[in-house]
Amino acid sequence: MPPLPGTSLPPRRRVDILNDGGYRSDGRRQYELRDITIDMTPQGSADGCASIAHGLTQVSVSVFGPREAKQRSQTLHDRAVLNVEVNVLPFSTGERRRRGRADRRILELAASIKATFEPVVQTTLYPRAQIDIFVSVQQQDGGLLPACINGTTLALAAAGVPLLDFVCAVSAGVHGAAALLDLSALEEGDLPHAAVAVLPRTKRVTLAALETRLHVDRFAEVFRLACDAGQTIHAEMRRAVRTRTQELVAAMGAGPRAGPGEHVDRDVAMDDDAAADY
Amino acid sequence: MVEITIRKRPRTEAVVTQRKFFKKTARGKVIKVLRERYLRDDVTCGIEGCRVCSESSDATLPSSGSLDHSSYPDGHFVLPDTNVFLAQMDLMESPLFSPPIILLQTVMEEVRHRSLPLYNRLKALVKADDKQIWVFYNEYRSETAVIREEGETPNDRNDRGIRKATSWYNSHISITRPPVKGQPNRPLPTVVLLTDDVANRQKAEKEGIACISVRKYVEASKDSGKLSDLLSAPGSDNIEPTRAAGARQVLYPDYLPMSTLIAGVKAGQLHQGHFNANQYNYLEGNVPVSAFEKPILLIGRENMNRAVQGDVVVVEVFDPKEWKAPADEVVDQETTLKNDDADDSEEEVEDEEGITERKVMQSEASIRSLSAKQPTGRIVGIIKRNWRSYVCHIESTSLMSSNPTSLSQQTVFATPVSRLLPRIRMRTRQAPTLLGQKILVTIDRWDATSRYPDGHFVRALGRAESKEAEQESLLLEYDVPYRPFGKAILDCLPSEGDAWVVPPKADAVPEWKDREDLRGLIICSIDPPGCQDIDDALHARPLPNGNIEAGVHIADVSHFVHPDTPMDNEAAARGSTVYLVDKRIDMLPSLLGTNLCSLRPHVERLAFSVIWELTPEADIVNVRFTKSVIASKSAFTYDEAQVRKDDPNLNDDLTKSIRLLNSLAQKLKAGRMAAGALNLASPEVKIHLDSAESSDPIDVEQKVLKETNSLVEEFMLLANISVAQKIQETFPQTAVLRRHLPPPPTNFEKLKDILQKRKGMTLDVSSSGALAASLDQCVDLEEPAFNTLVRIMTTRCMLSAEYFCSGSVARDTFGHYGLASPIYTHFTSPIRRYADVLAHRQLAAAINFSPLHATLHSKSHIERVLEIVNRRHRMAQMAGRASVEFYVGLALKSRSEKETVIEDAFVIRTFRNGLGVFVSKLGIEGLVMFKREIQFDADNYTISVPSASGAESTTIAVFDKVRVQIEVEKDKNTQRGKVKMTLVSPIDSRAL
């Protein structure tokens, strides 16, 4: 997903994307992701909330529902309807600009999120219901779509909406022959890049978005790398969800009895190296 | 699977790692910029055997540092500041300068900001094998990262970062090598801050960091004698600190308002003219104006004030006290300004290049000879820009990233192929892919704050030096329309296509109306080999009364091309067929040009005939003009006709006819010469192509003129003159004529002076006859080519011939100077010249064959058309010459791969730092440059080159014959093949 127009800064020239020492312009190396901060504190009346920051990209997502649809005409009799609305705050971009609801870029972003989650959310459990996902973009510095998707996963989980799996998204680009992960806005402006969302357990891909031109061989390489990076992100997200759950459980005074049970992970059959974190 | 990790960035470090600032763009928008930075502890120091950073196996710095320097007996590493690389790059690049160098990221970035070419040199230096350089990414190491403090300039921040890194290195070395018990304390090497910034040194000393200036360091080092030569002059090391982006300084004076300009020109205070750049010296140009005999000289950028070749400008003339002679030096933009930066950063105001440039100007000013003063002035306004698309190359050093996948926008320099144009700055996202290609660039604007014009990329033409790209770039450069003919134009062709034939003779057939049947005459055509568009044919036969009938038959193009049709308009716009070495760009669709109009042998063709009755002495008894039908009996090449004429065994009618024509032509020529026609020469060579497919040139050969060339020429001249008289008589206001104005005597001054001083010969330029006579006297018995050379140089002093409308100029200026004819037009090549088509139409009307189209009665219309035709004609000639030049270059290249090409050459110009030479065998001109100081005598047109030992010197003067070695080398920057000449004898300049 290319940055929204207005996001792309006037290219700060004279910056090496990947210098001879193997460092990127922000001091990361090729396969290092930016700092991820996750906050799942509830906000307002939302059923589930998550704020996620990928580096300097900040997104917060609120989930309402499953609940009765406001308009009966839009419901489906056999499953719930996902309704995704994205709000890009005017100060989130480099150039301050207010965007209407009907802005095409924003609609496309919302459509991408919806398409990503439709096969993952178990909508058939809630016929004639609606699940509202409100995404609010607070700051943009590259990787907007992956941040929205990751945030949405967490918010849905927080709301208790049954999901088949986590959805973990990351962007990746190519510089020369080198693949880079999790691009910043500066890098996105310069490199062909793709956004990939994976289901870490089944290793299935629910989104692959490429809007720049990229040779198919290169794409395969980048795509595989992004799928691997999805696992790393998954570990981070799961840790956040577990911490949040533990806090809740502790608060309810119904904490799990001490014992090995705490470490049993019935939820996800992960591959070993990811599970080894626990 | 590669290891993928999440880089954690503690929130507590946010001050150092996160940056948010607002900046205002040129358009006044405010933009928020976010940056983050991940600090790490695994940035390695690069010293071999370092315990902490041991995982890096590629460390390049010896653990003990360098022990060679007398000031640091315990070993040291050098950590240079930015100003060292900016001012002393030559020193750093020297193989003698060999201490282990720690190059900080901060320093690299700063160099990059200041000068990309220097940055590219620095990058090459880092990769060089003989250097021990370690790049330390200090901005990413947690201990050495600095942030800019309130009120601190970027320059101070960088200096602080450099000092911090230096002290970190020193402590790192001491920490990683703790004293081992029982062993004597090994002395630790020092990391020395090398800087020429006095303030930085003072601060460093205060902080207890070892530091030294470059000069002191070099003086105390091992090879101080050799190294100190490489130090740049002390004056230039006071590098100004990076300025914060502020208001950009104005580099050029503003233009005056248009109304002031027009009023000034009317009042005679200002002068209007076309700007001509000097191809040898980019800091000089001139504007020929009517008020002065000599063109007004513009010296320096400010005075040229953003004018580009061909612009119509208004000039203010300086006080006569300030008048100067043009410089005698070759100043090449590429070498003088090679370190200039494409990016429009603020340092543009007063950087090194500005200084270099000024130095060049100063040194020039002191040497300018006092004799040949010319008015000088400055441009105060532009009436009309004549900008178009220019064929350029991207300069590779101006690129900041040559990564092929990079999509980032870069500001680069595009160097036009023509030396008359300045570099153009343009922004492109595809710079790496465009490298090495010929591209088309348009100039958009040239602001007073910008040293170079700004332009944009139009399209790529293809790889440089590929034939297609070169051919197309030639056509574009000379503005030759080369699109294929459109449908509307092709619809104007006869519907029969190539099956069209002259219909059988009958009264009712329109083709035969008023046409004479000349099919029975013995007509032949004589053309160069391979000619397809035969537009003239000849005949001659004795008449019973002892006189001779001679006829010139010209293809009847006006029968097919009717006025005011799409085909006619296109032909008028094209103006002329353009002949390149391997391609012909037709003015008319080839069905007409090479078939229906072409007077091919053995077929009936329509013609427009001029038939004279001449006495055997070639005096005209009478002349008549008629449309006709002819059937040429044969198409000869010049050679074939010559052989046939000279073969005594052949006595058929055709041969006799040729002999008759030849004898007449000789008499005509003698008559013309007696009247004062000039026999001029131009350097013409012929390219032999290997085969049609590969079209690799195999040889270059000088054109040899045969008797039969002259035969055809004489009759064409005669026909043109006769037609000119006829149409001028009939249409005194609108006849399409051609004239050649006598050159102003000042044009010859220099040539006369050189001839007088060097050869003791005089050139009488009072009239064309006198000139012709004195040219015949300019003979050097030992040098048969000398006369040709003088003729070539004379030709260059001439004005060019032009078409004009008889009603627009005074009757006494109709004359053709070169041909010494009082009146002249072009009638004989209507297939390839549009003016001839007009002449055909006017002649047809003059003989009452057809009415004259209304447009040809309008003086303004004819003037307009002829103006275009004149321009196209000039361009076509230049394109043809450039094409020959390209092929000569190719031939030279293939030749020089096999052997060294050494040719005889004549010196035609002397410069303060070189020679202009002309290689007559190849028809090319070149420059021989001397790197060493040479003595230049501008008044006597000589230079003296000291020999290698310096004992005696060799003097070379204009007209001297020298031998030069010719190479074709590829300019690294522009990918442009450049002919490079070096002197072999009388003195070998290869070493100089």
Side-chain angles (χ1 to χ4, degrees), chain B residues 526-529 636-643 706 708-710 712:
Chain B
I526 307 176
D527 284 286
F636 295 115
T637 65
Y638 290 121
D639 290 341
E640 286 166 6
Q642 185 74 30
V643 168
K706 297 227 161 54
T708 40
N709 288 61
S710 155
V712 176

Side-chain angles (χ1 to χ4, degrees), chain A residues 63 71 78 122 189 200 213 248 275:
Chain A
V63 170
Q71 283 169 297
D78 58 342
Q122 299 190 357
R213 280 202 311 182
L248 283 178

Side-chain angles (χ1 to χ4, degrees), chain A residues 8-17 19-29 31-37 53-56 58 91-96 138-141 174-177 181 184 186 188-192 212-213 218 225 228-233 236 239 273, chain B residues 1-11 17-23 25 29-40 42-44 105 108-109 111-116 119 123 126-127 137 140 341-345 347 400-401 403-411 427 429:
Chain A
S8 64
L9 305 162
R12 194 180 129 195
R13 281 155 289 169
R14 314 204 161 179
V15 169
D16 266 334
I17 295 297
N19 64 28
D20 295 334
Y23 298 107
R24 289 153 73 170
S25 57
D26 52 9
R28 281 184 292 156
R29 287 182 177 277
Y31 305 127
E32 288 175 349
L33 306 176
R34 289 181 292 178
D35 182 39
I36 295 180
T37 320
H54 281 220
L56 296 176
Q58 283 175 21
F91 52 80
S92 69
T93 51
E95 192 185 327
R96 189 183 172 91
Q138 282 149 4
Q139 194 162 273
Q140 297 183 42
D141 185 32
V174 189
H175 178 258
L181 278 174
S184 68
L186 188 103
E188 275 186 353
D190 196 4
L191 305 181
T212 31
R213 280 202 311 182
R218 279 279 117 76
L225 183 72
D228 292 342
Q231 305 288 356
T232 312
I233 291 190
E236 184 75 14
R239 189 183 301 134
D273 54 350
Chain B
M1 184 173 145
V2 290
E3 192 193 352
I4 297 168
T5 51
I6 298 177
R7 195 84 220 156
K8 282 291 172 192
R9 186 164 56 78
R11 291 282 128 148
T17 58
Q18 213 174 314
R19 213 146 55 95
K20 173 171 153 184
F21 58 92
F22 294 91
K23 72 176 186 189
T25 65
K29 275 185 186 162
V30 174
I31 282 181
K32 179 171 76 172
V33 181
L34 291 169
R35 287 280 175 272
E36 64 180 336
R37 180 164 68 165
Y38 291 87
L39 299 181
R40 40 204 317 152
D42 59 352
V43 179
T44 50
Q105 180 192 11
M108 276 189 97
E109 307 251 290
V111 170
R112 172 140 120 172
H113 268 275
R114 303 296 288 275
S115 163
L116 259 183
Y119 174 71
K123 269 176 91 168
V126 172
K127 292 201 180 91
Y137 291 93
Y140 300 147
D341 229 329
D343 217 334
D344 48 342
S345 44
E347 300 95 84
M400 61 166 182
S401 149
N403 189 317
T405 58
S406 170
L407 300 170
S408 66
Q409 198 161 46
Q410 306 193 39
T411 309
R427 297 182 68 182
R429 282 191 182 276

Side-chain angles (χ1 to χ4, degrees), chain A residues 119-201:
Chain A
V120 184
V121 176
Q122 299 190 357
T123 45
T124 42
L125 299 178
Y126 309 102
R128 289 183 288 282
Q130 173 173 324
I131 299 171
D132 288 308
I133 300 168
F134 297 117
V135 180
S136 155
V137 179
Q138 282 149 4
Q139 194 162 273
Q140 297 183 42
D141 185 32
L144 181 60
L145 181 59
C148 292
I149 290 172
N150 293 341
T152 306
T153 307
L154 293 166
L156 285 170
V161 175
L163 300 175
L164 289 174
D165 197 352
F166 276 73
V167 184
C168 303
V170 71
S171 66
V174 189
H175 178 258
L180 305 181
L181 278 174
D182 194 12
L183 306 185
S184 68
L186 188 103
E187 290 164 334
E188 275 186 353
D190 196 4
L191 305 181
H193 58 276
V196 178
V198 290
L199 307 183
R201 192 169 54 159

Side-chain angles (χ1 to χ4, degrees), chain B residues 313-353:
Chain B
V313 297
V314 175
V315 191
E316 179 190 59
V317 177
F318 292 147
D319 193 75
K321 269 181 284 182
E322 290 176 42
W323 290 10
K324 284 173 186 158
D328 296 304
E329 193 168 18
V330 182
V331 183
D332 192 5
Q333 171 160 244
E334 275 151 40
T335 47
T336 317
L337 295 182
K338 65 173 178 192
N339 282 350
D340 208 356
D341 229 329
D343 217 334
D344 48 342
S345 44
E346 54 281 2
E347 300 95 84
E348 217 174 10
V349 191
E350 189 62 12
D351 49 13
E352 286 166 83
E353 282 70 37

Side-chain angles (χ1 to χ4, degrees), chain B residues 920-939:
Chain B
S920 55
K921 196 175 163 206
L922 302 170
I924 53 169
E925 238 182 283
L927 276 174
V928 177
M929 302 277 285
F930 297 97
K931 287 193 202 87
R932 185 98 76 78
E933 260 324 279
I934 54 170
Q935 305 238 317
F936 172 58
D937 184 348
D939 291 334

